[in-house]
Amino acid sequence: MAGRQLKEIFRAFHARDELAFRRAAMEIIEEEQAKHHNALARDLQKLLVAGGGSLDPGSTIVVPAPPKDREGEWDLGEVREPEHLLEDLVLQDAVSLVLENVVEEVRQWPALDAAGLPRRQRLLLQGPPGCGKTTAAEAIAVELGRPLLMVRLDAVVSSYLGETSSNLRRIFEYADQAPFVVLFDEFDALGRSRDDASEHGEMKRVVSAFLQMTDRYRGPSLLLAATNHPALLDEALWRRFDEVLTFGLPTVHQIRQVLRLRLKGVAHSGLEINRYASALKGRPHAAAEKLVIDARRNALLRNSAVVMAQDVDRAMPGITARPW
Ligand SMILES: Nc1ncnc2c1ncn2[C@@H]1O[C@H](COP(=O)(O)OP(=O)(O)O)[C@@H](O)[C@H]1O
Ligand SMILES: [Mg+2]
């Protein structure tokens, strides 16, 4: 193990510079891997992940600020400590399975690399709004003990020609520095120029630049792209991702599950879950969640600690009337 990396680890510890710490730790792991010290590399990798992603949970962690645009005006991304867990989500079995497998696989990247097997590092999450794409990205980050880098596409997309691609490059360089889960949420917005929707050529160039950067990316982060509008995406685009996960609308049974999950630990009496689930048919998971929140608010406003059928019935019209 090189003295340089050891010094870097000690320095990072004192500076509470988590990114520098992780970078040095990853270098050490990769070096051990290259020496075919596979068991040691795997143990180190596990220890790095098991820490829950922080040097010292009791202290504030310094993650270098995400990059800004050329004028230094806008943050191009936001680092979040994610909170949601995979078990908070009601998903199709096939989707859960892939998510769980990918999480396990990311932990084993050094072993995959050593065996010359390709990583699944680029995932596309697609489906209608309110079915769990953003939340799943957060949950993956929690499971991996990694910070979530939410790319701010509104800041990335610039009206200056060529500037959008440079902004993307800045994001990818940042994601090279340490193991993040990077989320390009609603990334189809890249295809929309800020000023002039008719600039079709520029739009295509930006999306293809994004795909190229995604393709070429060999850094330590897991890259996720999410879209509510799969129809907008080019045919060829799907092939660029290692997995395409569809977050579809819930069945009535799944709506019931979301209602039950969100009512867990909430005092309630006389609720007709089956009826509510049928009434919400065709609407996303988010609608079921909002019904419970609105009903709880109604109960609280009438000074009741217990959610009753009247609270749900008062909330329902608002939920079914709004577009999702
Ligand atoms: N599959 C799901 N199971 C349980 N809750 C969900 C699910 N999908 C979405 N929700 C809830 O709905 C809200 C919006 O979900 P989000 O992940 O932002 O959806 P999307 O990104 O697909 O538009 C969140 O608060 C989340 O808890
Ligand atoms: Mg979303």
Side-chain angles (χ1 to χ4, degrees), residues 81-316:
E81 281 301 326
E83 284 172 4
H84 294 281
L85 300 173
L86 277 179
E87 63 200 51
D88 291 337
L89 287 172
V90 175
L91 299 170
Q92 279 153 15
D93 289 345
V95 174
S96 304
L97 197 67
V98 176
L99 290 179
E100 283 160 20
N101 284 343
V102 167
V103 165
E104 188 47 39
E105 230 176 86
V106 172
R107 298 193 180 117
Q108 305 275 352
W109 275 355
L112 283 178
D113 295 350
L117 291 169
R119 303 170 173 185
R120 285 191 290 179
Q121 191 160 11
R122 296 143 247 276
L123 311 188
L124 176 60
L125 317 182
Q126 61 136 339
C131 295
K133 300 178 295 295
T134 307
T135 313
E138 284 191 38
I140 292 172
V142 173
E143 302 280 335
L144 289 171
R146 293 178 169 206
L148 178 72
L149 174 64
M150 299 274 286
V151 178
R152 292 199 42 207
L153 283 181
D154 52 340
V156 166
V157 175
S158 162
S159 46
Y160 296 110
L161 207 68
E163 199 53 36
T164 305
S165 303
S166 333
N167 285 341
L168 284 172
R169 200 164 306 114
R170 291 186 183 99
I171 289 282
F172 278 89
E173 279 163 10
Y174 184 73
D176 239 346
Q177 295 183 50
F180 291 102
V181 171
V182 184
L183 175 61
F184 295 89
D185 210 356
E186 310 196 10
F187 88 107
D188 42 279
L190 278 177
R192 272 177 255 136
S193 164
R194 197 175 263 174
D195 289 345
D196 183 1
S198 69
E199 274 185 29
H200 200 64
E202 168 71 357
M203 259 169 54
K204 280 204 138 164
R205 245 169 34 79
V206 167
V207 174
S208 93
F210 168 73
L211 290 174
Q212 266 178 26
M213 288 180 217
T214 309
D215 259 359
R216 289 206 197 117
Y217 181 76
R218 294 285 176 274
S221 297
L222 178 70
L223 305 182
L224 309 178
T227 176
N228 293 333
H229 308 286
L232 291 181
L233 304 180
D234 211 80
E235 275 283 301
L237 198 137
W238 309 106
R239 270 180 273 127
R240 313 291 278 270
F241 290 91
D242 303 318
E243 287 293 340
V244 177
L245 292 169
T246 303
F247 288 68
L249 287 172
T251 61
V252 172
H253 174 65
Q254 287 168 330
I255 294 176
R256 215 162 24 228
Q257 283 180 298
V258 175
L259 292 172
R260 293 225 170 85
L261 202 59
R262 296 298 179 255
L263 281 167
K264 223 157 86 186
V266 176
H268 60 83
S269 167
L271 301 192
E272 298 169 68
I273 305 285
N274 288 339
R275 180 163 66 81
Y276 310 142
S278 305
L280 292 174
K281 187 169 182 220
R283 295 187 170 76
H285 306 75
E289 180 181 86
K290 185 161 166 38
L291 180 69
V292 173
I293 293 170
D294 289 357
R296 290 179 64 187
R297 189 185 301 110
N298 289 341
L300 189 135
L301 291 179
R302 60 176 185 83
N303 292 319
S304 164
V306 181
V307 178
M308 315 277 278
Q310 65 182 93
D311 301 312
V312 182
D313 289 334
R314 276 185 55 208
M316 186 63 90

